[in-house]
Amino acid sequence: ELPKENSSKTNLLDFYYLQSVAAERLGRADKKVFFLKKALENADSRERFAIINELASAEINIGNPAEAIDKLKKFYLFLSCNS
């Protein structure tokens, strides 16, 4: 079931993350990346680390290692500036 327009960020995060899991099970790595990006848009700081790591791994799996490295660099820079 699609999330409602007024869904909370937590509900949207859960929805998109579960969609990424389903996409992976169906062998749709490109869709997994898409849904993880949507999940990341709704993640709070506690969830961002796990999602970014999973997203980077998925990017590598679809042949985008540069994108994966860029995401990880930006995130670690963000962490170092906000510590």
Side-chain angles (χ1 to χ4, degrees):
E1 179 179 327
L2 290 173
K4 296 178 179 24
E5 285 185 38
N6 61 348
S7 292
S8 69
K9 284 194 164 273
T10 301
N11 288 344
L12 291 170
L13 170 66
D14 291 344
F15 174 79
Y16 289 121
Y17 184 77
L18 290 174
Q19 290 295 306
S20 77
V21 171
E24 179 179 39
R25 289 183 181 166
L26 293 171
R28 296 292 313 271
D30 59 325
K31 283 294 195 184
K32 178 179 180 169
V33 168
F34 172 80
F35 287 121
L36 285 172
K37 286 179 179 178
K38 297 294 271 180
L40 188 59
E41 291 173 9
N42 293 285
D44 67 22
S45 59
R46 292 172 291 147
E47 298 147 336
R48 291 184 75 77
F49 182 73
I51 293 173
I52 285 177
N53 280 320
E54 192 165 342
L55 180 55
S57 177
E59 290 279 11
I60 289 168
N61 287 338
I62 65 168
N64 293 335
E67 187 73 22
I69 292 167
D70 185 53
K71 280 181 179 42
L72 290 171
K73 280 182 180 177
K74 286 178 182 174
F75 184 66
Y76 290 123
L77 180 61
F78 169 80
L79 285 179
S80 67
C81 292
N82 291 302
S83 296

